[in-house]
Short mmCIF file of all heavy atoms in Angstrom, two decimals:
data_model
loop_
_atom_site.label_atom_id
_atom_site.label_comp_id
_atom_site.label_asym_id
_atom_site.label_seq_id
_atom_site.Cartn_x
_atom_site.Cartn_y
_atom_site.Cartn_z
N ARG Q 379 -35.48 -29.40 35.38
CA ARG Q 379 -36.28 -30.24 34.50
C ARG Q 379 -36.66 -29.53 33.21
O ARG Q 379 -36.64 -30.12 32.13
CB ARG Q 379 -37.55 -30.65 35.25
CG ARG Q 379 -37.83 -32.11 35.07
CD ARG Q 379 -39.04 -32.53 35.83
NE ARG Q 379 -40.05 -32.92 34.86
CZ ARG Q 379 -41.29 -33.17 35.18
NH1 ARG Q 379 -41.69 -33.04 36.42
NH2 ARG Q 379 -42.14 -33.54 34.26
N GLU Q 380 -37.02 -28.26 33.35
CA GLU Q 380 -37.38 -27.49 32.15
C GLU Q 380 -36.17 -27.34 31.22
O GLU Q 380 -36.30 -27.45 29.99
CB GLU Q 380 -37.93 -26.13 32.55
CG GLU Q 380 -39.33 -26.22 33.15
CD GLU Q 380 -39.74 -24.99 33.96
OE1 GLU Q 380 -38.86 -24.18 34.33
OE2 GLU Q 380 -40.95 -24.86 34.24
N LEU Q 381 -35.01 -27.09 31.81
CA LEU Q 381 -33.80 -26.97 30.98
C LEU Q 381 -33.50 -28.29 30.28
O LEU Q 381 -33.14 -28.32 29.10
CB LEU Q 381 -32.61 -26.50 31.82
CG LEU Q 381 -31.33 -26.23 31.02
CD1 LEU Q 381 -31.56 -25.11 29.98
CD2 LEU Q 381 -30.18 -25.86 31.93
N ALA Q 382 -33.70 -29.37 31.01
CA ALA Q 382 -33.47 -30.70 30.41
C ALA Q 382 -34.44 -30.92 29.25
O ALA Q 382 -34.07 -31.51 28.22
CB ALA Q 382 -33.63 -31.79 31.46
N THR Q 383 -35.66 -30.44 29.39
CA THR Q 383 -36.63 -30.56 28.29
C THR Q 383 -36.14 -29.77 27.07
O THR Q 383 -36.18 -30.26 25.93
CB THR Q 383 -38.01 -30.03 28.73
OG1 THR Q 383 -38.44 -30.78 29.85
CG2 THR Q 383 -39.04 -30.16 27.61
N MET Q 384 -35.67 -28.55 27.32
CA MET Q 384 -35.17 -27.74 26.19
C MET Q 384 -33.99 -28.43 25.51
O MET Q 384 -33.90 -28.45 24.28
CB MET Q 384 -34.73 -26.35 26.70
CG MET Q 384 -35.91 -25.49 27.10
SD MET Q 384 -35.42 -23.95 27.93
CE MET Q 384 -34.58 -23.13 26.62
N GLU Q 385 -33.12 -29.01 26.30
CA GLU Q 385 -31.95 -29.70 25.72
C GLU Q 385 -32.39 -30.92 24.90
O GLU Q 385 -31.88 -31.16 23.80
CB GLU Q 385 -30.98 -30.12 26.84
CG GLU Q 385 -30.30 -28.91 27.47
CD GLU Q 385 -29.47 -29.26 28.70
OE1 GLU Q 385 -29.70 -30.34 29.30
OE2 GLU Q 385 -28.61 -28.45 29.07
N ARG Q 386 -33.35 -31.64 25.42
CA ARG Q 386 -33.83 -32.82 24.70
C ARG Q 386 -34.51 -32.41 23.38
O ARG Q 386 -34.29 -32.99 22.33
CB ARG Q 386 -34.81 -33.60 25.58
CG ARG Q 386 -35.40 -34.85 24.92
CD ARG Q 386 -36.34 -35.62 25.84
NE ARG Q 386 -37.41 -34.81 26.40
CZ ARG Q 386 -38.49 -34.39 25.73
NH1 ARG Q 386 -38.63 -34.69 24.46
NH2 ARG Q 386 -39.42 -33.66 26.33
N LEU Q 387 -35.34 -31.34 23.45
CA LEU Q 387 -36.00 -30.85 22.24
C LEU Q 387 -34.98 -30.36 21.22
O LEU Q 387 -35.15 -30.53 20.01
CB LEU Q 387 -36.99 -29.74 22.58
CG LEU Q 387 -38.25 -30.16 23.36
CD1 LEU Q 387 -39.05 -28.92 23.80
CD2 LEU Q 387 -39.12 -31.08 22.52
N ALA Q 388 -33.92 -29.75 21.72
CA ALA Q 388 -32.86 -29.26 20.81
C ALA Q 388 -32.16 -30.44 20.14
O ALA Q 388 -31.94 -30.43 18.92
CB ALA Q 388 -31.86 -28.41 21.58
N ASP Q 389 -31.83 -31.47 20.90
CA ASP Q 389 -31.20 -32.67 20.32
C ASP Q 389 -32.07 -33.25 19.22
O ASP Q 389 -31.61 -33.59 18.13
CB ASP Q 389 -31.03 -33.76 21.39
CG ASP Q 389 -29.96 -33.43 22.42
OD1 ASP Q 389 -29.16 -32.53 22.16
OD2 ASP Q 389 -29.96 -34.08 23.49
N GLU Q 390 -33.36 -33.35 19.54
CA GLU Q 390 -34.31 -33.96 18.62
C GLU Q 390 -34.43 -33.13 17.34
O GLU Q 390 -34.38 -33.65 16.23
CB GLU Q 390 -35.65 -34.05 19.33
CG GLU Q 390 -36.69 -34.85 18.62
CD GLU Q 390 -38.01 -34.83 19.41
OE1 GLU Q 390 -38.77 -33.84 19.29
OE2 GLU Q 390 -38.27 -35.79 20.14
N ALA Q 391 -34.59 -31.80 17.50
CA ALA Q 391 -34.74 -30.93 16.32
C ALA Q 391 -33.50 -30.99 15.44
O ALA Q 391 -33.60 -31.01 14.21
CB ALA Q 391 -35.03 -29.50 16.76
N MET Q 392 -32.33 -31.03 16.06
CA MET Q 392 -31.10 -31.12 15.27
C MET Q 392 -31.03 -32.45 14.52
O MET Q 392 -30.68 -32.49 13.35
CB MET Q 392 -29.86 -30.95 16.16
CG MET Q 392 -29.64 -29.55 16.71
SD MET Q 392 -29.55 -28.23 15.48
CE MET Q 392 -28.06 -28.68 14.59
N ALA Q 393 -31.41 -33.52 15.20
CA ALA Q 393 -31.38 -34.84 14.55
C ALA Q 393 -32.37 -34.90 13.40
O ALA Q 393 -32.21 -35.67 12.46
CB ALA Q 393 -31.68 -35.93 15.58
N GLN Q 394 -33.40 -34.07 13.47
CA GLN Q 394 -34.45 -34.11 12.44
C GLN Q 394 -34.26 -33.05 11.36
O GLN Q 394 -35.18 -32.78 10.59
CB GLN Q 394 -35.82 -33.97 13.12
CG GLN Q 394 -36.12 -35.17 14.01
CD GLN Q 394 -37.38 -35.03 14.83
OE1 GLN Q 394 -37.94 -33.94 14.89
NE2 GLN Q 394 -37.82 -36.09 15.45
N GLY Q 395 -33.10 -32.39 11.34
CA GLY Q 395 -32.79 -31.55 10.19
C GLY Q 395 -32.62 -30.07 10.42
O GLY Q 395 -32.32 -29.34 9.49
N ALA Q 396 -32.82 -29.59 11.65
CA ALA Q 396 -32.57 -28.16 11.89
C ALA Q 396 -31.09 -27.86 11.68
O ALA Q 396 -30.24 -28.71 11.92
CB ALA Q 396 -32.99 -27.77 13.30
N ALA Q 397 -30.79 -26.64 11.21
CA ALA Q 397 -29.41 -26.28 10.91
C ALA Q 397 -28.73 -25.57 12.08
O ALA Q 397 -27.52 -25.36 12.05
CB ALA Q 397 -29.37 -25.38 9.68
N GLY Q 398 -29.52 -25.20 13.08
CA GLY Q 398 -28.91 -24.50 14.20
C GLY Q 398 -29.96 -23.87 15.08
O GLY Q 398 -31.16 -24.16 14.96
N LEU Q 399 -29.47 -23.01 15.96
CA LEU Q 399 -30.31 -22.37 16.98
C LEU Q 399 -30.35 -20.87 16.71
O LEU Q 399 -29.33 -20.26 16.42
CB LEU Q 399 -29.68 -22.62 18.35
CG LEU Q 399 -30.33 -21.96 19.56
CD1 LEU Q 399 -31.67 -22.63 19.87
CD2 LEU Q 399 -29.40 -22.04 20.78
N ALA Q 400 -31.55 -20.28 16.82
CA ALA Q 400 -31.67 -18.83 16.64
C ALA Q 400 -32.33 -18.22 17.88
O ALA Q 400 -33.37 -18.71 18.32
CB ALA Q 400 -32.52 -18.51 15.41
N THR Q 401 -31.69 -17.19 18.41
CA THR Q 401 -32.31 -16.49 19.53
C THR Q 401 -32.84 -15.14 19.09
O THR Q 401 -32.35 -14.53 18.13
CB THR Q 401 -31.31 -16.25 20.69
OG1 THR Q 401 -30.16 -15.57 20.18
CG2 THR Q 401 -30.91 -17.53 21.36
N GLY Q 402 -33.84 -14.66 19.84
CA GLY Q 402 -34.36 -13.30 19.69
C GLY Q 402 -34.39 -12.71 21.08
O GLY Q 402 -35.36 -12.85 21.81
N LEU Q 403 -33.29 -12.07 21.47
CA LEU Q 403 -33.11 -11.73 22.89
C LEU Q 403 -33.72 -10.39 23.28
O LEU Q 403 -33.57 -9.95 24.42
CB LEU Q 403 -31.63 -11.82 23.27
CG LEU Q 403 -31.04 -13.24 23.08
CD1 LEU Q 403 -29.57 -13.27 23.45
CD2 LEU Q 403 -31.82 -14.28 23.89
N ILE Q 404 -34.44 -9.76 22.34
CA ILE Q 404 -35.26 -8.61 22.74
C ILE Q 404 -36.73 -9.02 22.81
O ILE Q 404 -37.58 -8.22 23.17
CB ILE Q 404 -35.12 -7.39 21.80
CG1 ILE Q 404 -35.71 -7.67 20.42
CG2 ILE Q 404 -33.68 -6.96 21.68
CD1 ILE Q 404 -36.04 -6.38 19.64
N TYR Q 405 -37.03 -10.26 22.41
CA TYR Q 405 -38.42 -10.69 22.35
C TYR Q 405 -38.73 -11.69 23.46
O TYR Q 405 -38.04 -12.72 23.59
CB TYR Q 405 -38.69 -11.40 21.01
CG TYR Q 405 -38.43 -10.55 19.80
CD1 TYR Q 405 -37.43 -10.87 18.91
CD2 TYR Q 405 -39.21 -9.42 19.56
CE1 TYR Q 405 -37.19 -10.09 17.78
CE2 TYR Q 405 -38.98 -8.63 18.43
CZ TYR Q 405 -37.97 -8.98 17.55
OH TYR Q 405 -37.73 -8.22 16.43
N ALA Q 406 -39.78 -11.42 24.23
CA ALA Q 406 -40.25 -12.43 25.16
C ALA Q 406 -40.79 -13.62 24.36
O ALA Q 406 -41.38 -13.39 23.30
CB ALA Q 406 -41.36 -11.85 26.03
N PRO Q 407 -40.59 -14.88 24.80
CA PRO Q 407 -39.93 -15.26 26.05
C PRO Q 407 -38.41 -15.41 25.96
O PRO Q 407 -37.78 -15.66 26.99
CB PRO Q 407 -40.58 -16.61 26.37
CG PRO Q 407 -40.88 -17.21 25.03
CD PRO Q 407 -41.20 -16.04 24.12
N GLY Q 408 -37.83 -15.26 24.77
CA GLY Q 408 -36.37 -15.43 24.64
C GLY Q 408 -35.60 -14.46 25.54
O GLY Q 408 -34.56 -14.80 26.10
N SER Q 409 -36.14 -13.26 25.70
CA SER Q 409 -35.46 -12.23 26.49
C SER Q 409 -35.40 -12.59 27.97
O SER Q 409 -34.62 -12.00 28.71
CB SER Q 409 -36.17 -10.89 26.31
OG SER Q 409 -37.51 -10.98 26.77
N TYR Q 410 -36.19 -13.57 28.39
CA TYR Q 410 -36.17 -13.98 29.81
C TYR Q 410 -34.99 -14.90 30.12
O TYR Q 410 -34.76 -15.26 31.27
CB TYR Q 410 -37.48 -14.69 30.18
CG TYR Q 410 -38.75 -13.87 29.97
CD1 TYR Q 410 -39.97 -14.48 29.69
CD2 TYR Q 410 -38.73 -12.47 30.06
CE1 TYR Q 410 -41.13 -13.74 29.51
CE2 TYR Q 410 -39.89 -11.73 29.88
CZ TYR Q 410 -41.09 -12.36 29.60
OH TYR Q 410 -42.24 -11.64 29.42
N ALA Q 411 -34.26 -15.31 29.09
CA ALA Q 411 -33.17 -16.27 29.27
C ALA Q 411 -31.87 -15.59 29.65
O ALA Q 411 -31.54 -14.53 29.14
CB ALA Q 411 -32.97 -17.06 27.97
N THR Q 412 -31.12 -16.23 30.52
CA THR Q 412 -29.76 -15.78 30.81
C THR Q 412 -28.81 -16.34 29.76
O THR Q 412 -29.15 -17.28 29.02
CB THR Q 412 -29.27 -16.31 32.17
OG1 THR Q 412 -29.28 -17.75 32.10
CG2 THR Q 412 -30.17 -15.85 33.31
N THR Q 413 -27.59 -15.80 29.73
CA THR Q 413 -26.57 -16.32 28.82
C THR Q 413 -26.31 -17.79 29.11
O THR Q 413 -26.12 -18.59 28.19
CB THR Q 413 -25.27 -15.51 28.98
OG1 THR Q 413 -25.59 -14.12 28.95
CG2 THR Q 413 -24.28 -15.82 27.88
N GLU Q 414 -26.30 -18.17 30.38
CA GLU Q 414 -26.00 -19.56 30.76
C GLU Q 414 -27.01 -20.53 30.15
O GLU Q 414 -26.64 -21.61 29.67
CB GLU Q 414 -25.98 -19.72 32.29
CG GLU Q 414 -24.80 -19.05 32.98
CD GLU Q 414 -24.86 -17.53 33.04
OE1 GLU Q 414 -25.97 -16.95 32.85
OE2 GLU Q 414 -23.81 -16.90 33.27
N GLU Q 415 -28.26 -20.13 30.18
CA GLU Q 415 -29.30 -21.00 29.58
C GLU Q 415 -29.02 -21.20 28.07
O GLU Q 415 -29.11 -22.32 27.55
CB GLU Q 415 -30.67 -20.35 29.78
CG GLU Q 415 -31.80 -21.04 29.02
CD GLU Q 415 -33.14 -20.30 29.14
OE1 GLU Q 415 -33.41 -19.69 30.20
OE2 GLU Q 415 -33.91 -20.33 28.16
N ILE Q 416 -28.68 -20.10 27.41
CA ILE Q 416 -28.44 -20.19 25.97
C ILE Q 416 -27.21 -21.06 25.69
O ILE Q 416 -27.22 -21.89 24.77
CB ILE Q 416 -28.28 -18.78 25.36
CG1 ILE Q 416 -29.57 -17.98 25.60
CG2 ILE Q 416 -27.98 -18.86 23.88
CD1 ILE Q 416 -29.38 -16.49 25.45
N VAL Q 417 -26.19 -20.89 26.49
CA VAL Q 417 -24.97 -21.70 26.32
C VAL Q 417 -25.30 -23.19 26.47
O VAL Q 417 -24.84 -24.03 25.69
CB VAL Q 417 -23.87 -21.27 27.31
CG1 VAL Q 417 -22.73 -22.29 27.35
CG2 VAL Q 417 -23.32 -19.89 26.92
N ALA Q 418 -26.15 -23.50 27.45
CA ALA Q 418 -26.50 -24.92 27.68
C ALA Q 418 -27.16 -25.52 26.44
O ALA Q 418 -26.82 -26.63 26.02
CB ALA Q 418 -27.42 -25.03 28.90
N VAL Q 419 -28.08 -24.77 25.84
CA VAL Q 419 -28.76 -25.29 24.64
C VAL Q 419 -27.78 -25.30 23.46
O VAL Q 419 -27.74 -26.25 22.67
CB VAL Q 419 -30.02 -24.44 24.31
CG1 VAL Q 419 -30.70 -24.98 23.06
CG2 VAL Q 419 -30.99 -24.44 25.49
N ALA Q 420 -26.96 -24.25 23.38
CA ALA Q 420 -26.01 -24.13 22.26
C ALA Q 420 -25.04 -25.30 22.24
O ALA Q 420 -24.64 -25.77 21.17
CB ALA Q 420 -25.24 -22.81 22.36
N ARG Q 421 -24.66 -25.82 23.41
CA ARG Q 421 -23.73 -26.97 23.46
C ARG Q 421 -24.33 -28.18 22.75
O ARG Q 421 -23.61 -28.92 22.07
CB ARG Q 421 -23.41 -27.32 24.91
CG ARG Q 421 -22.46 -26.32 25.54
CD ARG Q 421 -21.75 -26.90 26.77
NE ARG Q 421 -20.77 -25.93 27.23
CZ ARG Q 421 -20.77 -25.38 28.45
NH1 ARG Q 421 -21.67 -25.75 29.35
NH2 ARG Q 421 -19.86 -24.48 28.76
N ARG Q 422 -25.63 -28.37 22.92
CA ARG Q 422 -26.29 -29.51 22.26
C ARG Q 422 -26.30 -29.30 20.75
O ARG Q 422 -26.13 -30.25 19.98
CB ARG Q 422 -27.73 -29.68 22.77
CG ARG Q 422 -27.84 -29.64 24.27
CD ARG Q 422 -26.98 -30.72 24.90
NE ARG Q 422 -27.64 -31.99 24.91
CZ ARG Q 422 -28.08 -32.60 26.00
NH1 ARG Q 422 -27.93 -32.03 27.19
NH2 ARG Q 422 -28.68 -33.77 25.91
N VAL Q 423 -26.51 -28.07 20.34
CA VAL Q 423 -26.52 -27.74 18.91
C VAL Q 423 -25.12 -27.93 18.33
O VAL Q 423 -24.95 -28.45 17.23
CB VAL Q 423 -27.04 -26.29 18.73
CG1 VAL Q 423 -26.90 -25.84 17.28
CG2 VAL Q 423 -28.48 -26.19 19.21
N ALA Q 424 -24.12 -27.53 19.10
CA ALA Q 424 -22.72 -27.68 18.67
C ALA Q 424 -22.39 -29.15 18.43
O ALA Q 424 -21.73 -29.49 17.46
CB ALA Q 424 -21.78 -27.09 19.72
N ALA Q 425 -22.90 -30.01 19.31
CA ALA Q 425 -22.61 -31.44 19.20
C ALA Q 425 -23.15 -32.03 17.89
O ALA Q 425 -22.65 -33.04 17.41
CB ALA Q 425 -23.21 -32.19 20.39
N CYS Q 426 -24.15 -31.36 17.30
CA CYS Q 426 -24.72 -31.84 16.04
C CYS Q 426 -24.22 -31.03 14.85
O CYS Q 426 -24.77 -31.13 13.75
CB CYS Q 426 -26.24 -31.76 16.09
SG CYS Q 426 -26.97 -32.71 17.41
N GLY Q 427 -23.22 -30.17 15.06
CA GLY Q 427 -22.64 -29.42 13.95
C GLY Q 427 -23.45 -28.20 13.53
O GLY Q 427 -23.26 -27.67 12.43
N GLY Q 428 -24.35 -27.71 14.38
CA GLY Q 428 -25.16 -26.55 14.03
C GLY Q 428 -24.48 -25.24 14.39
O GLY Q 428 -23.42 -25.22 15.02
N PHE Q 429 -25.07 -24.13 13.99
CA PHE Q 429 -24.53 -22.82 14.33
C PHE Q 429 -25.55 -22.03 15.13
O PHE Q 429 -26.70 -22.44 15.28
CB PHE Q 429 -24.06 -22.07 13.08
CG PHE Q 429 -25.17 -21.53 12.20
CD1 PHE Q 429 -25.51 -20.17 12.23
CD2 PHE Q 429 -25.86 -22.36 11.33
CE1 PHE Q 429 -26.52 -19.67 11.41
CE2 PHE Q 429 -26.87 -21.86 10.50
CZ PHE Q 429 -27.19 -20.51 10.55
N TYR Q 430 -25.09 -20.89 15.64
CA TYR Q 430 -25.91 -20.04 16.50
C TYR Q 430 -26.15 -18.70 15.82
O TYR Q 430 -25.19 -17.97 15.55
CB TYR Q 430 -25.18 -19.84 17.84
CG TYR Q 430 -25.85 -18.85 18.77
CD1 TYR Q 430 -27.12 -19.11 19.28
CD2 TYR Q 430 -25.22 -17.67 19.15
CE1 TYR Q 430 -27.75 -18.22 20.14
CE2 TYR Q 430 -25.82 -16.78 20.02
CZ TYR Q 430 -27.09 -17.05 20.51
OH TYR Q 430 -27.71 -16.17 21.35
N ALA Q 431 -27.40 -18.38 15.53
CA ALA Q 431 -27.76 -17.07 14.96
C ALA Q 431 -28.47 -16.28 16.04
O ALA Q 431 -29.31 -16.84 16.76
CB ALA Q 431 -28.67 -17.24 13.76
N SER Q 432 -28.16 -15.01 16.16
CA SER Q 432 -28.79 -14.25 17.24
C SER Q 432 -29.23 -12.86 16.82
O SER Q 432 -28.45 -12.08 16.28
CB SER Q 432 -27.83 -14.13 18.43
OG SER Q 432 -28.48 -13.49 19.51
N HIS Q 433 -30.51 -12.59 17.10
CA HIS Q 433 -30.96 -11.20 17.21
C HIS Q 433 -30.56 -10.84 18.62
O HIS Q 433 -31.18 -11.25 19.59
CB HIS Q 433 -32.47 -11.09 16.99
CG HIS Q 433 -32.98 -9.68 17.11
ND1 HIS Q 433 -34.04 -9.21 16.38
CD2 HIS Q 433 -32.57 -8.64 17.88
CE1 HIS Q 433 -34.25 -7.94 16.69
NE2 HIS Q 433 -33.39 -7.58 17.60
N ILE Q 434 -29.48 -10.10 18.74
CA ILE Q 434 -28.80 -9.90 20.01
C ILE Q 434 -29.64 -9.06 20.98
O ILE Q 434 -30.63 -8.46 20.59
CB ILE Q 434 -27.40 -9.30 19.78
CG1 ILE Q 434 -27.49 -7.98 19.03
CG2 ILE Q 434 -26.54 -10.30 19.00
CD1 ILE Q 434 -26.15 -7.31 18.82
N ARG Q 435 -29.20 -9.01 22.22
CA ARG Q 435 -30.02 -8.49 23.31
C ARG Q 435 -30.25 -6.97 23.26
O ARG Q 435 -31.14 -6.46 23.93
CB ARG Q 435 -29.38 -8.89 24.65
CG ARG Q 435 -30.38 -9.13 25.75
CD ARG Q 435 -29.71 -9.56 27.04
NE ARG Q 435 -29.31 -10.95 27.09
CZ ARG Q 435 -30.10 -11.96 27.51
NH1 ARG Q 435 -31.32 -11.73 27.91
NH2 ARG Q 435 -29.62 -13.19 27.54
N GLY Q 436 -29.46 -6.28 22.47
CA GLY Q 436 -29.67 -4.85 22.31
C GLY Q 436 -28.98 -4.39 21.05
O GLY Q 436 -27.86 -4.83 20.76
N GLU Q 437 -29.63 -3.52 20.28
CA GLU Q 437 -29.01 -3.03 19.05
C GLU Q 437 -28.82 -1.52 19.12
O GLU Q 437 -28.53 -0.88 18.12
CB GLU Q 437 -29.88 -3.42 17.84
CG GLU Q 437 -30.00 -4.93 17.69
CD GLU Q 437 -30.84 -5.37 16.50
OE1 GLU Q 437 -31.87 -4.73 16.23
OE2 GLU Q 437 -30.46 -6.36 15.85
N GLY Q 438 -29.01 -0.96 20.31
CA GLY Q 438 -28.84 0.48 20.50
C GLY Q 438 -27.73 0.75 21.50
O GLY Q 438 -26.57 0.41 21.27
N ALA Q 439 -28.11 1.33 22.63
CA ALA Q 439 -27.12 1.71 23.64
C ALA Q 439 -26.30 0.52 24.13
O ALA Q 439 -25.13 0.66 24.48
CB ALA Q 439 -27.83 2.39 24.82
N THR Q 440 -26.89 -0.68 24.14
CA THR Q 440 -26.20 -1.86 24.67
C THR Q 440 -25.63 -2.76 23.57
O THR Q 440 -25.30 -3.93 23.82
CB THR Q 440 -27.16 -2.69 25.55
OG1 THR Q 440 -28.29 -3.07 24.72
CG2 THR Q 440 -27.67 -1.89 26.74
N LEU Q 441 -25.49 -2.20 22.37
CA LEU Q 441 -25.05 -3.00 21.22
C LEU Q 441 -23.78 -3.80 21.49
O LEU Q 441 -23.71 -5.00 21.20
CB LEU Q 441 -24.83 -2.06 20.02
CG LEU Q 441 -24.17 -2.68 18.79
CD1 LEU Q 441 -25.08 -3.71 18.15
CD2 LEU Q 441 -23.81 -1.60 17.75
N LEU Q 442 -22.76 -3.15 22.04
CA LEU Q 442 -21.46 -3.83 22.15
C LEU Q 442 -21.51 -4.95 23.19
O LEU Q 442 -20.94 -6.03 22.98
CB LEU Q 442 -20.35 -2.83 22.45
CG LEU Q 442 -20.21 -1.74 21.37
CD1 LEU Q 442 -19.07 -0.79 21.71
CD2 LEU Q 442 -20.01 -2.34 19.99
N ASP Q 443 -22.22 -4.72 24.30
CA ASP Q 443 -22.40 -5.81 25.28
C ASP Q 443 -23.13 -6.97 24.64
O ASP Q 443 -22.83 -8.14 24.91
CB ASP Q 443 -23.26 -5.32 26.47
CG ASP Q 443 -22.50 -4.33 27.34
OD1 ASP Q 443 -21.26 -4.31 27.24
OD2 ASP Q 443 -23.15 -3.60 28.11
N ALA Q 444 -24.10 -6.64 23.80
CA ALA Q 444 -24.92 -7.69 23.19
C ALA Q 444 -24.10 -8.50 22.18
O ALA Q 444 -24.23 -9.73 22.10
CB ALA Q 444 -26.14 -7.07 22.53
N VAL Q 445 -23.23 -7.83 21.42
CA VAL Q 445 -22.35 -8.57 20.49
C VAL Q 445 -21.41 -9.46 21.30
O VAL Q 445 -21.18 -10.63 20.97
CB VAL Q 445 -21.55 -7.60 19.59
CG1 VAL Q 445 -20.50 -8.35 18.79
CG2 VAL Q 445 -22.49 -6.84 18.65
#
Side-chain angles (χ1 to χ4, degrees):
R379 225 178 114 190
E380 287 161 344
L381 185 61
T383 302
M384 289 171 65
E385 290 172 341
R386 179 178 54 75
L387 290 173
D389 289 344
E390 189 182 81
M392 289 305 295
Q394 294 173 350
L399 175 71
T401 54
L403 299 179
I404 68 160
Y405 301 115
S409 61
Y410 301 152
T412 61
T413 312
E414 289 73 17
E415 171 185 327
I416 299 162
V417 167
V419 180
R421 286 200 174 121
R422 312 302 278 250
V423 173
C426 301
F429 73 102
Y430 174 63
S432 185
H433 179 147
I434 58 178
R435 212 178 281 272
E437 298 181 320
T440 58
L441 171 67
L442 301 181
D443 289 342
V445 172

